[in-house]
Amino acid sequence: MAEGAVVVDEQRAGRVAEDPRVSELRDAVSRLRRALAGHPAPLPDRDAAEEELAALDAMAREGDPELSRLRRSLLLVAGAVGSVSALSPSLSAVHQAVDNFAPPADDRVPPPREGG
């Protein structure tokens, strides 16, 4: 079956193909949420991390999340769980998934030059 036919079939069925970056973000957030839930040690900022992970998941479910909001939530989650080595692989996966929403390096505006 041709690639275009698959898209048409999905649209006929009422489904729209999800952006792979969104799928990756949702999967990474889900893995970190499970890892955090299974971590036995008390974490003083566990509630904050769980709230921001829920916010990340909600942004992903909306479909086209705003990069600055994603990064803010990532920063808060990292601050809450960043020192827990057992959560590091899952946190890194969320970080990578957020970075996938950044424009390619060619599209980024270079910082202004000093003195010029």
Side-chain angles (χ1 to χ4, degrees), residues 29-59 73-74 76-82 87 91:
V29 166
S30 179
R31 284 191 303 272
L32 182 53
R33 287 175 101 174
R34 285 192 308 270
L36 182 60
H39 188 67
L43 299 172
D45 293 329
R46 182 184 296 262
D47 290 342
E50 289 172 348
E51 287 175 17
E52 286 306 315
L53 287 169
L56 280 166
D57 186 56
M59 285 184 264
S73 289
L74 174 63
L76 292 170
V77 171
V81 303
L87 300 175
L91 180 60

Side-chain angles (χ1 to χ4, degrees), residues 21 67 71 98-109:
R21 299 173 304 167
L67 181 59
R71 286 185 171 160
V98 167
D99 282 349
N100 287 340
F101 286 91
D106 297 355
D107 294 346
R108 295 184 190 157
V109 177

Side-chain angles (χ1 to χ4, degrees), residues 19-25 60 63-67 70-71 96-104:
D19 182 338
R21 299 173 304 167
V22 170
S23 297
E24 183 178 348
L25 177 60
D64 190 20
E66 182 183 324
L67 181 59
L70 291 174
R71 286 185 171 160
Q96 179 60 48
V98 167
D99 282 349
N100 287 340
F101 286 91

